[in-house]
Amino acid sequence: MSRPLVPGLLAENTTDERFLGAVVFRQLRALTEKGARHVVDVAKTEIGECWTIKDADRVCRAVTELAEDCHLICVHNDHNERGKAEKVVQVLREQGLATPVIPLVPVRETEAWLLADRAVWAGLRGSDTSGMPDRPRDVEKISDPKPVLDAVRPGSGRRSRADYFDYIGQNVDLDVLAQIPAYADWVAETEEALKGLGYL
């Protein structure tokens, strides 16, 4: 008999939702396949009703609503809003929310994480990987990853910019992502939450 695991996510915008929603689902599945006590049926990531660029009170309400259906929730902010994700986690803990809420915060911007896996881009015709860092962890050193990402992705074709967030989220090598320190920190915190919930 399998045990369900429904993850939730609040992110800054649609492209972050598309990339991180896929990554959260895949990473939870990988963690539970490797170390779960029982068979775990990981559901697709539920996306919250509010972007995390809104004020902290609205984000807290959205997390609380999401907690009615989810077993754990990730709250994403880029570096310039880093304190907001941490504040949301603290406020909800003080309010007694039992559902684990985990900050998901890159060193700079989420777009940097899309630049970690050279191989996934090399498989896309028309992409230019020459501007990508040699080591995955070095994506955290890119001061503005958006123009770098725009230079890497194919310039022609029918895919929109947002489609690449979805594609990379579904196909990026999770072991490559885990070489990025901020991502590895999130994975470690997520593992602890899963242990606390009795999944691992």
Side-chain angles (χ1 to χ4, degrees):
M1 188 164 160
S2 66
R3 183 177 173 194
L5 172 56
V6 182
L9 170 69
L10 274 82
E12 287 195 346
N13 57 46
T14 303
T15 53
D16 291 336
E17 288 172 352
R18 292 178 75 170
F19 173 70
L20 294 172
V23 167
V24 166
F25 164 73
R26 292 179 59 221
Q27 188 65 68
L28 287 174
R29 197 171 58 184
L31 289 170
T32 55
E33 284 175 356
K34 181 179 74 176
R37 300 175 181 183
H38 312 283
V39 176
V40 178
D41 182 18
V42 181
K44 294 287 186 190
T45 307
E46 299 257 343
I47 305 297
E49 294 291 321
C50 168
W51 285 346
T52 56
I53 55 173
K54 304 292 185 186
D55 63 88
D57 287 342
R58 286 176 69 179
V59 175
C60 285
R61 284 196 302 272
V63 171
T64 303
E65 289 172 14
L66 206 51
E68 294 173 11
D69 300 316
C70 298
H71 297 97
L72 65 80
I73 299 166
C74 300
V75 176
H76 160 259
N77 279 112
D78 284 338
H79 72 103
N80 55 339
E81 298 264 343
R82 173 180 305 277
K84 187 188 287 184
E86 292 164 358
K87 179 181 178 183
V88 165
V89 170
Q90 180 184 347
V91 167
L92 291 170
R93 191 174 292 139
E94 289 169 0
Q95 291 176 357
L97 183 70
T99 305
V101 182
I102 305 165
L104 180 51
V105 183
V107 164
R108 287 195 167 78
E109 294 178 336
T110 309
E111 283 82 358
W113 289 2
L114 278 81
L115 297 168
D117 186 358
R118 184 182 297 268
V120 74
W121 286 104
L124 289 171
R125 186 171 35 180
S127 64
D128 178 4
T129 61
S130 63
M132 294 176 69
D134 291 329
R135 299 183 313 165
R137 68 181 299 116
D138 291 341
V139 299
E140 292 190 336
K141 297 176 182 175
I142 302 171
S143 59
D144 188 359
K146 287 185 173 84
V148 179
L149 179 61
D150 286 339
V152 169
R153 69 183 176 89
S156 61
R158 290 178 288 197
R159 283 191 179 172
S160 70
R161 184 176 185 274
D163 287 340
Y164 288 102
F165 281 75
D166 195 38
Y167 177 82
I168 299 301
Q170 292 180 34
N171 294 282
V172 64
D173 186 328
L174 297 176
D175 291 334
V176 171
L177 277 181
Q179 295 174 47
I180 303 170
Y183 185 86
D185 289 346
W186 170 74
V187 171
E189 196 166 343
T190 301
E191 271 190 294
E192 286 306 307
L194 292 173
K195 287 175 185 173
L197 292 168
Y199 285 97
L200 300 181

